[in-house]
Amino acid sequence: MSAEFEVTITDKDMFRFNIYHAYHGFQGVIATLAGIWVLVMAGLTFGRVEVVYTILYIILGIVFLVYVPGSLYLRSKQQILSSEVLKHALRYKIDDEGVHVSQGEQTADLEWKQIYKMVSNRNQLLIYSSRVNAYIIPKEAAGEKYQTIVGLAVNHLEGFRLKLNPFSI
């Protein structure tokens, strides 16, 4: 059983990956809660404090809630533009031995025992080789081979290394 396909990462795919990382960590949760809290405080103190403070609360809330996604969007575009590897298609072959990635003459092999974790969400499958480095596979690129990939992962990875969203399968 194996799956072969090609993936060209777009800035949209990179943005989704960066957003996932930003908001599935402690810092992302705290920034979101802080932004919401500051906006709630702006509403609760409206008319009780000077208008300048209310405006400051609103600006601070917007910064917390808009700055992170905005900066991640710009960084994603820059990553795609500045990386020669990401500008061209990557050829994937996922089989019982692991994940094999090639581009032109260059190849990389990641055995199942080397995979840190595999995560799926609504739009992509992420195969982590470490805590922060992952192969990004948009679900539309994998197509009908997505089920084969998930089957291989379930057969070869321990349960704690799999974070497959049941609604995304």
Side-chain angles (χ1 to χ4, degrees), residues 35-81:
I36 292 169
W37 180 76
V38 171
L39 289 176
V40 167
M41 291 305 295
L44 293 175
T45 61
F46 182 74
R48 295 184 188 167
V49 297
E50 293 181 37
V51 175
V52 173
Y53 289 113
T54 302
I55 293 170
L56 184 63
Y57 284 149
I58 291 170
I59 291 171
L60 213 55
I62 290 170
V63 165
F64 275 115
L65 295 175
V66 176
Y67 173 74
V68 172
S71 66
L72 289 175
Y73 177 75
L74 294 174
R75 182 169 33 151
S76 298
K77 284 187 125 357
Q78 186 60 36
Q79 281 177 301
I80 296 297
L81 290 174

Side-chain angles (χ1 to χ4, degrees), residues 12-165:
K12 186 176 173 182
D13 298 323
M14 186 61 72
F15 175 66
R16 288 176 177 158
F17 173 72
N18 286 330
I19 282 287
Y20 174 81
H21 263 279
Y23 287 100
H24 280 82
F26 182 72
Q27 186 178 10
V29 172
I30 294 299
T32 302
L33 292 175
I36 292 169
W37 180 76
V38 171
L39 289 176
V40 167
M41 291 305 295
L44 293 175
T45 61
F46 182 74
R48 295 184 188 167
V49 297
E50 293 181 37
V51 175
V52 173
Y53 289 113
T54 302
I55 293 170
L56 184 63
Y57 284 149
I58 291 170
I59 291 171
L60 213 55
I62 290 170
V63 165
F64 275 115
L65 295 175
V66 176
Y67 173 74
V68 172
S71 66
L72 289 175
Y73 177 75
L74 294 174
R75 182 169 33 151
S76 298
K77 284 187 125 357
Q78 186 60 36
Q79 281 177 301
I80 296 297
L81 290 174
S82 65
S83 173
E84 281 303 315
V85 172
L86 296 176
K87 287 180 182 177
H88 307 287
L90 295 168
R91 179 115 184 103
Y92 284 86
K93 180 182 179 190
I94 302 175
D95 58 21
D96 287 319
E97 294 176 24
V99 179
H100 314 282
V101 184
S102 62
Q103 185 180 58
E105 298 298 317
Q106 297 182 354
T107 63
D109 295 317
L110 187 65
E111 296 177 17
W112 288 107
K113 66 182 177 185
Q114 295 173 305
I115 293 176
Y116 181 74
K117 68 180 175 180
M118 187 178 286
V119 175
S120 72
N121 56 41
R122 185 177 54 166
N123 298 305
Q124 50 192 224
L125 179 68
L126 307 172
I127 302 174
Y128 285 85
S129 59
S130 69
R131 289 188 60 175
V132 293
N133 296 319
Y135 292 107
I136 302 169
I137 302 173
K139 287 193 178 171
E140 66 247 10
E144 71 269 354
K145 308 220 168 138
Y146 177 75
Q147 293 297 340
T148 304
I149 298 166
V150 168
L152 285 163
V154 168
N155 289 339
H156 293 284
L157 294 175
E158 298 93 346
F160 69 91
R161 295 190 187 277
L162 292 170
K163 295 190 183 339
L164 302 175
N165 183 347

